[in-house]
Amino acid sequence: MHIHVNGKNIEITDAIKAYVKEKLGKVANHYDQITAIDVILTVIKNPSASGKYIAEVSCKLNGKNIHVEVSEDESMYASIDLVADKLDRQVKKFKDKSLSSDKGSIRNVVETAEEPEEELEEV
C-alpha cells in the first residue's frame, strides 16, 4: 500500500508526512485490500475564510474508491486527525458490507429439505 502526500499552499515537511503516514497506517491495519491512499493537504490563506486547513483523502480499495474531506480552523494536525477518523469509519463500514454480502451469496446458503406433513386419520 502506498500513501502519497501532496500539498497546496503548504510545504509538506517530513514531520507532517510522518504524521499522516502514522495516522492513515492505522486505517490500513483494519482492511488489507487497500491498494493506495492519496492525501491532499490545503491551506487557505484568506483571513476571512472559515476552515483554513483542509485535508482530503482518496482511498483506493479493490472495486471502490472512498473520498473523505475535512476542513478545520485550528491546525493541520487536527484536520489530519479528523480525516483519519472519518476514513477509518468508512473503511470499516465498507468491510462489514462486503463481508455480509459474502455470507448471503448462493454458494454459502445451505438449503434444508422440508419434512412431509403427516396425515391424521379420523376415528
Side-chain angles (χ1 to χ4, degrees), residues 45-102:
K45 295 186 176 184
N46 187 353
S48 64
S50 64
K52 295 180 181 182
Y53 300 100
I54 301 171
E56 299 176 56
V57 176
S58 294
C59 181
K60 293 174 180 62
L61 304 168
N62 288 338
K64 185 172 178 165
N65 291 335
I66 296 175
H67 183 79
V68 180
E69 181 176 339
V70 171
S71 61
E72 185 69 31
D73 283 336
E74 295 175 18
S75 70
M76 184 59 73
Y77 291 101
S79 61
I80 292 169
D81 287 340
L82 291 174
V83 81
D85 291 340
K86 269 189 170 181
L87 183 66
D88 190 29
R89 286 192 302 270
Q90 295 267 340
V91 168
K92 284 182 183 178
K93 184 177 177 181
F94 177 76
K95 180 181 175 182
D96 291 342
K97 280 185 178 180
S98 66
L99 290 177
S100 67
S101 67
D102 289 343

Side-chain angles (χ1 to χ4, degrees), residues 1-5 21 28 34-39 58-60:
M1 179 197 67
H2 300 286
I3 299 176
H4 303 284
V5 182
K21 289 186 178 187
I34 298 173
T35 57
I37 296 177
D38 296 325
V39 181
S58 294
C59 181
K60 293 174 180 62

Side-chain angles (χ1 to χ4, degrees), residues 110-118:
V110 178
E111 294 182 20
T112 59
E114 293 183 18
E115 296 180 12
E117 295 180 14
E118 296 180 16

